[in-house]
Amino acid sequence: MSALSQADVYRLIREANARGERVIVATVAHTRGSTPQRRGAKMLFFQNGEVAGTVGGGCVEAEVWAEAREAMRSGRPCLHVFRLTADEASEQGMVCGGVMEIFLDVWDP
């Protein structure tokens, strides 16, 4: 998955909302250390199961997907902290070893 432009983010949200779909917007709110994406990176999760954008890939993105599914179900925004310790990163074959705070926002039609 690739990075989304700001125009693409809002176009995709508008299109999904026009179809009556809830959208979860994951945004990298803060980083410390070595992380796969920087502040502002976005990933969108749609009710139909599609996604767009990226917040980093690998194990962090898998965890964000799980939290996004919960936000989709509950309709509640939330902030999550993901720690990419050097040990965890090396086990996953990553070179990262920082901390990412990712905000999940809920956009309802």
Side-chain angles (χ1 to χ4, degrees):
M1 282 175 251
S2 61
L4 292 172
S5 71
Q6 186 171 350
D8 285 339
V9 167
Y10 292 109
R11 177 184 54 81
L12 291 167
I13 292 169
R14 189 174 50 252
E15 290 172 358
N17 284 172
R19 293 189 303 267
E21 290 182 36
R22 174 178 282 171
V23 180
I24 305 302
V25 180
T27 304
V28 177
H30 184 71
T31 64
R32 288 186 302 279
S34 177
T35 60
Q37 286 288 334
R38 295 289 165 219
R39 187 175 55 208
K42 294 188 183 324
M43 186 170 187
L44 307 180
F45 299 86
F46 303 93
Q47 274 188 301
N48 65 7
E50 294 181 15
V51 297
T54 184
V55 291
C59 59
V60 168
E61 209 153 272
E63 290 180 45
V64 172
W65 279 47
E67 298 298 343
R69 282 192 296 276
E70 174 58 26
M72 185 72 73
R73 186 195 62 71
S74 72
R76 289 190 308 265
C78 50
L79 179 68
H80 291 277
V81 177
F82 298 93
R83 298 184 195 301
L84 305 166
T85 67
D87 291 339
E88 290 170 334
S90 66
E91 288 173 11
Q92 299 293 323
M94 301 181 300
V95 295
C96 302
V99 176
M100 299 179 79
E101 294 179 17
I102 299 180
F103 179 65
L104 298 176
D105 199 6
V106 180
W107 289 63
D108 282 320

